[in-house]
Amino acid sequence: EPYLVFGSGQVSTEEIHDWVEYITFDGDSTLARLRSQNGREQPWKMCYMTVGNEWWFYEPASSYAVRYCKGIHFAKNYTCNPFRIVRGPQIEDIHFTNDLIDALPSGFCDAVTVYIVMSEAKFGQTLKAVGFSDEEYYASLQFIPYVDRQLDRHIGVIRKRPENDGIKICVDEWGCWHDTGRDANWSMRTTMHDAIIAAAMLNTFNNKCDYIEIAALCMTVNALHSVLKTREEKLVKTPTFYVFKQYREHQDARHVFSYVQEDHIEAPQLAIPTVSHSASMKDGKLLLSLVNCSATQAVQLDGTILDDAFTSCFGEILCADPRCENSFDSPDGAVAKPFTDFTLSGRRLVVTLPPSSVVTLTLEP
């Protein structure tokens, strides 16, 4: 869906008003006529809008809140009631969220953004995008439990007032950001390691879908945590591409609670769940997503499905060494394949997850 971001430091309130009128107004006005002259008779739909970006670098929350409220208020006459998003902080900055919520008057936003850059500097080291050790791999995977608990803290701060109970979180920038060699274009090599983190993050977002409105990968093509890379006429699907393909049926589905009793992988600061998981229902089918974060150990899950019995199941798996990379010379190092290492009998499901794997199972009645 369209998501418009207006820079609060560079764009005036009047310009925001004019742009929203140009985009959304279905009546007669100078800007609506200009839109028609430019080839668009009918207004566009504007589903999401925010004012400002990364304001915490140059102003306090109270100053940004004034800018945001002006932009939202003076644009409202011509909108199709978009989802109003206030620009929040990075994932670790709980106090910025607190200051922002205290500075905002009630009724001016539907969601607060949280910006998740998964850089190993958070855990005291620099991880190379390729050629890393198992120890470095596990240090990076500490982001899985860290993001989980930090999202809970942000929503707790946001909803500390009863009138904020309906406010959600928009994770409108998330993804891995390893050492890029200071490349000016933010080009970054991506591996199976990034696919494991992407799948675990999507599970986290899916399991918190009651308060997460948006989760947008940063970035998608030829930069940072890409799903596609291009060079002249060539195109490569990264391992993360196959994760998004495997998870696509979670969209517009109904979340189903899942629980895994498991060992944890010990890491320097946070214990990493060995298996990340989420589940959802759509059209009578149950989609179960499972990630084995261990680089060396297979995991067998012996599960019980409550309430519903299923008669058939098919699966897909993405599995490779964490260092595996899909390159222009070798584009198929890590690709999704059919998965059959499971048994389904009534409400009992037994699955064996290979090391460093992403498995999705679709169970049908």
Side-chain angles (χ1 to χ4, degrees), residues 337-350:
K337 300 177 181 179
F339 176 73
T340 59
D341 200 356
F342 62 87
T343 58
L344 173 66
S345 178
R347 291 193 174 98
R348 187 183 181 205
L349 176 66
V350 180

Side-chain angles (χ1 to χ4, degrees), residues 27-76:
D28 180 54
S29 72
T30 301
L31 289 171
R33 289 192 295 273
L34 178 60
R35 183 187 67 229
S36 179
Q37 293 168 16
N38 288 337
R40 176 77 181 194
E41 183 69 31
Q42 298 298 317
W44 283 282
K45 177 175 65 172
M46 189 172 74
C47 290
Y48 300 97
M49 72 170 290
T50 187
V51 176
N53 185 42
E54 299 184 3
W55 52 267
W56 58 86
F57 284 126
Y58 53 84
E59 65 180 324
S62 56
S63 172
Y64 164 69
V66 171
R67 292 176 183 266
Y68 167 83
C69 290
K70 284 181 179 179
I72 291 293
H73 183 73
F74 285 98
K76 69 180 182 180

Side-chain angles (χ1 to χ4, degrees), residues 21-32:
E21 178 182 347
Y22 179 87
I23 293 166
T24 68
F25 187 48
D26 61 357
D28 180 54
S29 72
T30 301
L31 289 171

Side-chain angles (χ1 to χ4, degrees), residues 94-253:
I94 302 294
H95 65 284
F96 275 109
T97 298
N98 184 65
D99 291 346
L100 181 58
I101 289 299
D102 285 345
L104 279 175
S106 298
F108 267 80
C109 77
D110 300 302
V112 177
T113 70
V114 173
Y115 178 59
I116 304 176
V117 175
M118 287 175 276
S119 168
E120 287 69 26
K122 175 67 183 174
F123 297 105
Q125 68 175 13
T126 298
L127 177 65
K128 301 178 290 293
V130 294
F132 45 86
S133 66
D134 281 356
E135 290 74 18
E136 290 172 318
Y137 166 72
Y138 289 127
S140 178
L141 261 58
Q142 292 175 105
F143 266 104
I144 297 169
Y146 178 75
V147 169
D148 192 0
R149 66 178 63 182
Q150 288 296 101
L151 285 171
D152 288 341
R153 289 171 176 168
H154 280 283
I155 200 65
V157 168
I158 292 167
R159 297 185 176 181
K160 64 182 181 178
R161 301 178 190 164
E163 63 268 26
N164 290 347
D165 281 350
I167 293 179
K168 296 191 175 187
I169 282 180
C170 288
V171 187
D172 61 355
E173 291 187 67
W174 70 272
C176 295
W177 193 341
H178 310 305
D179 183 10
T180 60
R182 300 191 179 277
D183 189 294
N185 296 318
W186 296 347
S187 176
M188 186 183 81
R189 295 169 68 180
T190 58
T191 64
M192 184 66 193
H193 158 252
D194 301 297
I196 291 289
I197 291 183
M201 287 299 99
L202 291 175
N203 283 339
T204 299
F205 301 146
N206 197 27
N207 290 333
K208 299 180 185 299
C209 63
D210 58 332
Y211 65 77
I212 293 182
E213 175 74 16
I214 288 174
L217 186 68
C218 179
M219 302 173 183
T220 54
V221 181
N222 288 343
L224 299 186
H225 202 151
S226 302
V227 295
L228 297 172
K229 294 190 175 183
T230 65
R231 180 190 296 165
E232 297 176 348
E233 77 283 357
K234 294 182 179 180
L235 181 145
V236 171
K237 301 171 184 176
T238 71
T240 299
F241 169 90
Y242 294 98
V243 169
F244 273 79
K245 186 177 180 183
Q246 284 180 254
Y247 277 57
R248 66 192 183 279
E249 291 302 320
H250 282 302
Q251 287 191 308
D252 301 318

